[in-house]
Every structure is written in C-alpha cells, then in structure tokens.
Amino acid sequence: MSRRRLKKTNLFHKDINSLLYAYGDVAQPLNKTVQCLDELVSSYLVDICAEAAHVANSSSRNKIRLEDFKFVLRKDPIKLARAEELISTNALITEAKKQFNENENQNLKRYKEDEDDDDDEDDDEDDDEDSKPKEAPVTVETQESTVPVKEKKKRTKKAKVKS
C-alpha cells in the first residue's frame, strides 16, 4: 500500500455508515471512525488502480482493461471471484436493458402500424361524419415515454326514416 496521504474526500461516507450499522454499530457512528475507514477504502482503491495501470503499462497499453484488475486481484481468490461475479452481473443487466428497449421499440412500431391501418379504415367511415368535431387522442404517460392509447369509436346504427 502506498503511504501517501489522500485529501479527505468522504467519498464513501454514507456507505460506510450503513455498513457499520449493518455490522452492529450504532446508527450514527463516530465521524473519526467513518473518516478512518473512508481513508482506508480510498487508499486501497487508489493502490489497486495504480497496480492495474502498471500492469497495463508493462503490456505497452495506455488504457486499463478489466483483465488488468483481474491480474492484480489474482492472488486473492475471494476478491477475484467477487469481481468476476459483479462483471457478469453487469453484463446480464446490460443485456436485459438492451432487450427491453428493443422490445419496447418493436411494440411502439406495431402500435403505429396498427394506428395507421385503423386510420385508413376510419377515413372511409369519416366521409359521412365530416361535420362532427374530431376528438384529441388519449395518451398515457409513463416514466420512460408517452404512449398513445387507442379509443374504440362508438358505432351507432343510423335509423332509416321512411317518408
């Protein structure tokens, strides 16, 4: 580990508070305890990143890759296994998001195609009803997007009047 002092960043202040409480400490641990652990975590991460940069430089690369971190952690099988688990979980989440977005786009395309088809059919029926005002389409807002909702038109039978 490097012995250089890092400036007090408190990057992990909330996380360390939660971890200490989870392991049996009081809800609000002493600030000195949190600062000490924050410095330890920060210096450990800086050291791991510096070692990974050194591995990348020895391989004549300017950029650090995941393999460099794996190489640095190779002597600690528990940390290496956890890092590989997190990497695979991240890949699964990324793939799931990609599939979800593709599925959502396909559904929107299908909806738009159906709407266009319905508009073509409705144009024939609307010739008789040109005098009626048209209603605005209804939309449903979600967190991610606004999706129009189809309303079924009420079709009434016109009574034939005998004269």
Side-chain angles (χ1 to χ4, degrees):
M1 283 188 138
S2 66
R3 298 291 177 205
R4 53 193 153 130
R5 298 280 296 180
L6 297 172
K7 63 180 182 177
K8 296 178 183 177
T9 56
N10 292 330
L11 290 174
F12 307 104
H13 185 76
K14 291 180 183 177
D15 298 323
I16 291 173
N17 274 340
S18 299
L19 283 171
L20 287 172
Y21 183 66
Y23 282 103
D25 201 355
V26 295
Q28 294 296 323
L30 294 173
N31 283 333
K32 288 184 179 182
T33 305
V34 175
Q35 279 182 326
C36 179
L37 287 173
D38 189 63
E39 285 180 28
L40 287 171
V41 170
S42 298
S43 66
Y44 176 75
L45 289 174
V46 167
D47 290 343
I48 294 293
C49 291
E51 289 179 36
H54 179 70
V55 170
N57 286 338
S58 65
S59 299
S60 64
R61 284 186 278 116
N62 291 330
K63 293 185 178 180
I64 300 173
R65 295 184 182 166
L66 284 176
E67 293 81 26
D68 299 328
F69 287 104
K70 289 180 183 179
F71 184 80
V72 170
L73 295 174
R74 74 189 184 284
K75 294 179 184 174
D76 191 348
I78 295 173
K79 290 177 187 168
L80 179 61
R82 179 66 176 149
E84 288 176 345
E85 179 185 353
L86 290 173
I87 291 167
S88 65
T89 303
N90 186 32
L92 284 173
I93 291 171
T94 304
E95 183 64 28
K97 284 182 180 179
K98 184 178 176 182
Q99 288 177 354
F100 178 77
N101 289 338
E102 287 175 359
N103 190 18
E104 187 176 80
N105 288 338
Q106 288 175 355
N107 287 341
L108 285 174
K109 286 179 184 176
R110 281 189 213 138
Y111 174 76
K112 287 179 182 177
E113 289 172 2
D114 289 345
E115 187 177 78
D116 291 341
D117 292 343
D118 288 347
D119 287 344
D120 292 342
E121 291 172 6
D122 291 343
D123 286 343
D124 298 336
E125 295 172 8
D126 288 343
D127 292 341
D128 299 334
E129 302 173 1
D130 285 338
S131 60
K132 293 183 181 179
K134 294 185 180 180
E135 295 180 10
V138 177
T139 59
V140 175
E141 293 184 17
T142 62
Q143 290 180 346
E144 294 180 4
S145 63
T146 301
V147 180
V149 176
K150 289 185 184 178
E151 283 189 47
K152 293 185 178 179
K153 289 189 175 184
K154 294 180 182 177
R155 297 184 184 185
T156 58
K157 294 182 180 180
K158 293 182 183 178
K160 293 184 180 180
V161 178
K162 295 182 181 180
S163 43

